[in-house]
Amino acid sequence: MRLRSRHLVAIASLEPDEVELILDTAESFAEVGTREIKKVPTLRGKTVVNFFVEPSTRTRSSFELAEKRLSADAVNFSANSSSFVKGETLLDTARNLEAMVPDFIVIRHSEAGAPHFLARHSSCSIINAGDGAHEHPTQALLDAFTIRRRRPLRGLRVTIVGDILHSRVARSNILLLSKMGAQVTVCGPPSLMPPRIEALGCSATHDVDRSIEGADVVMALRLQLERMTRGYLPSLREYAKLYGLDSRRMQRAAPDAIVMHPGPMNRGVEITGDVADGERSVILEQVTNGVAVRMAVLYLLAGEVEREAAA
Ligand code: CP
């Protein structure tokens, strides 16, 4: 078994057997994170450029830890500390980074499609760490890994509540979970629900209580106020009342349901503190698992590059 591309730019382009391969490989790497010496020589001599044009806490540090645990050399660029602020184009930035011959570029960008653009113009592997409101493939993979460690994905009822319109996490999760046989429902206010979202493989509703009824997994999403170009909501208080995940609402879910959130959380808006920190919450497990999943992605993509070079 192998991946079919040396890039990971979207869940949309992965087949179910490739998702299984990444999740199975991540199981082996999860064990590395429990050792006293959390390092293996797998990517010794490989170089990774982490190019983050948008802010990130979890994804950036998780990739960096994954790279270090695999013994790769990592270089970090952010928008503020690079020549991006001086007007350099994405293509020129990529060409200059490429000239230093990295093996991977991990990119987070505010524009949807930026990683795909780089993949067309780069000889190294491109990994999408989140592009605008489009996709966040490694987040969906780590979410699936976290769920799969507790129960099979096939037949699972997953409800995603919140700002679906601006959420790359929602898109990647809908695509991945529906590919793997889960039933996904998305729920949010009409102003934050993209038209024809069902075409991605989910059902959609504005009725939050009904959407949570019997769910095995409830995922809350942040309101992405920074992407809101007009008044989508009357007030945060009203949103919290109508769509916020609280312990009363969670009673409608399956008795052993888990609560997820990709972070960063707005406590008291999309989720209450007691639900975020409660016994059903796997929010910090998601973060822990992200390192193993990103190790698996880097390892498998490196294998594809070697196969291409040998061909
Ligand atoms: N889940 C996620 O993408 O978080 P960051 O924005 O902190 O990377």
Side-chain angles (χ1 to χ4, degrees):
M1 251 317 291
R2 42 172 288 198
L3 298 182
R4 295 180 182 83
S5 168
R6 68 190 157 92
H7 307 295
L8 176 61
V9 292
I11 294 295
S13 46
L14 285 182
E15 296 295 333
D17 63 341
E18 294 177 285
V19 173
E20 293 277 6
L21 175 65
I22 295 169
L23 302 187
D24 292 345
T25 309
E27 283 293 349
S28 316
F29 283 121
E31 187 271 327
V32 175
T34 64
R35 295 183 196 166
E36 198 178 331
I37 309 233
K38 301 176 180 57
K39 209 168 177 95
V40 288
T42 317
L43 291 189
R44 192 157 54 201
K46 303 282 183 201
T47 313
V48 188
V49 173
N50 297 309
F51 183 38
F52 278 64
V53 175
E54 268 193 344
S56 168
T57 300
R58 280 145 290 269
T59 311
R60 182 173 167 158
S61 47
S62 177
F63 265 111
E64 211 179 321
L65 271 178
E67 292 148 13
K68 287 187 194 315
R69 287 185 186 173
L70 291 168
S71 303
D73 298 308
V75 181
N76 298 313
F77 287 90
S78 63
N80 294 343
S81 63
S82 73
S83 293
F84 223 65
V85 286
K86 299 178 192 162
E88 191 171 53
T89 65
L90 179 60
L91 183 57
D92 280 334
T93 304
R95 281 184 175 145
N96 280 273
L97 293 176
E98 277 249 343
M100 297 177 236
V101 205
D103 298 286
F104 298 91
I105 297 178
V106 177
I107 178 167
R108 169 167 287 191
H109 203 283
S110 49
E111 293 299 324
H116 303 68
F117 176 78
L118 280 199
R120 284 196 298 277
H121 293 93
S122 297
S123 53
C124 65
S125 280
I126 303 298
I127 303 178
N128 181 0
D131 61 326
H134 177 229
E135 275 228 39
H136 193 345
T138 58
Q139 178 69 44
L141 286 162
L142 75 88
D143 290 340
F145 181 84
T146 305
I147 299 169
R148 202 187 70 157
R149 286 194 128 187
R150 291 167 176 265
R151 59 204 67 174
L153 299 177
R154 182 155 298 282
L156 204 75
R157 288 158 303 173
V158 181
T159 298
I160 305 176
V161 185
D163 179 357
I164 311 295
L165 181 67
H166 298 104
S167 178
R168 54 196 174 207
V169 174
R171 266 172 200 74
S172 289
N173 263 303
I174 295 165
L175 289 165
L176 190 154
L177 292 168
S178 62
K179 251 183 232 281
M180 305 310 286
Q183 294 168 33
V184 184
T185 301
V186 295
C187 177
S191 58
L192 294 175
M193 187 69 79
R196 297 178 296 284
I197 185 79
E198 295 92 337
L200 294 183
C202 61
S203 53
T205 177
H206 309 304
D207 184 337
V208 68
D209 289 329
R210 275 183 62 188
S211 77
I212 292 173
E213 202 74 57
D216 302 299
V217 176
V218 183
M219 184 183 296
L221 297 177
R222 182 174 71 91
L223 283 180
Q224 300 198 24
L225 298 172
E226 75 278 15
R227 296 193 207 278
M228 294 191 189
T229 49
R230 59 184 167 86
Y232 287 85
L233 300 164
S235 72
L236 293 185
R237 203 164 147 192
E238 182 172 312
Y239 178 84
K241 188 163 162 236
L242 294 179
Y243 289 95
L245 202 56
D246 58 20
S247 50
R248 183 185 56 83
R249 285 209 162 110
M250 272 309 295
Q251 282 173 12
R252 294 176 174 267
D256 58 350
I258 57 171
V259 173
M260 307 182 82
H261 194 304
M265 277 188 286
N266 291 310
R267 287 172 182 262
V269 181
E270 71 266 8
I271 190 166
T272 55
D274 61 332
V275 172
D277 302 327
E279 57 185 19
R280 293 170 182 240
S281 170
V282 296
I283 293 170
L284 292 177
E285 264 177 57
Q286 291 172 260
V287 179
T288 303
N289 293 337
V291 180
V293 167
R294 287 167 177 130
M295 287 171 83
V297 166
L298 287 159
Y299 165 75
L300 290 166
L301 292 179
E304 284 318 299
V305 173
E306 276 171 22
R307 247 185 290 272
E308 277 186 23

